[in-house]
Amino acid sequence: MIDSESKQFQMKEDNINKASKALKAMGHPLRLKILCVIGEQELPVMDIVSQVGTTQSNISQHIDILREKGIITSRREGSKILCKVRDKTILNLMGAMQQTFCQVD
């Protein structure tokens, strides 16, 4: 039988693992730019390409990594692939990082 303290630690451990995976996926500058561009929106890949400023192929590779790590989801609408951040906690994490690292003095 699992006592409540062990169960509570396991829940924290799950959150730690989730955060670690997210941070690893976000650790590449281009993937972080992609996430910043998407923010709370759902955007077509070509809009992300134009805002980030690299090739569609390069963006698609990084979107695939973010999708595999469970950071974003995508869906097809006609000929467009639309992407959005899957979990609001990722947006909270990005907000904290932007406040810490992107402040203009």
Side-chain angles (χ1 to χ4, degrees), residues 2-97:
I2 298 175
D3 64 17
S4 65
E5 189 173 313
S6 295
K7 187 174 182 180
Q8 194 172 25
F9 179 77
Q10 182 61 42
M11 289 170 54
K12 289 179 184 176
E13 191 72 25
D14 291 345
N15 288 338
I16 289 167
N17 290 332
K18 183 178 179 179
S20 177
K21 284 175 65 175
L23 289 169
K24 285 178 189 175
M26 294 166 62
H28 189 281
L30 189 56
R31 289 194 288 271
L32 192 52
K33 281 184 187 179
I34 290 168
L35 290 169
C36 286
V37 165
I38 295 172
E40 295 185 30
Q41 312 171 73
E42 182 177 49
L43 287 178
V45 171
M46 292 313 294
D47 287 6
I48 298 168
V49 169
S50 67
Q51 291 183 49
V52 171
T54 188
T55 66
Q56 188 268 331
S57 174
N58 196 11
I59 294 292
S60 291
Q61 289 175 1
H62 288 282
I63 285 173
D64 286 344
I65 292 167
L66 291 168
R67 190 180 313 112
E68 287 170 11
K69 300 296 183 185
I71 305 299
I72 64 169
T73 63
S74 61
R75 67 181 179 89
R76 181 176 291 280
E77 187 175 276
S79 62
K80 295 179 181 179
I81 303 293
L82 301 168
C83 299
K84 69 178 182 177
V85 175
R86 170 176 276 171
D87 189 339
K88 295 291 182 191
T89 58
I90 298 300
L91 294 172
N92 294 338
L93 179 59
M94 288 172 48
M97 289 181 2

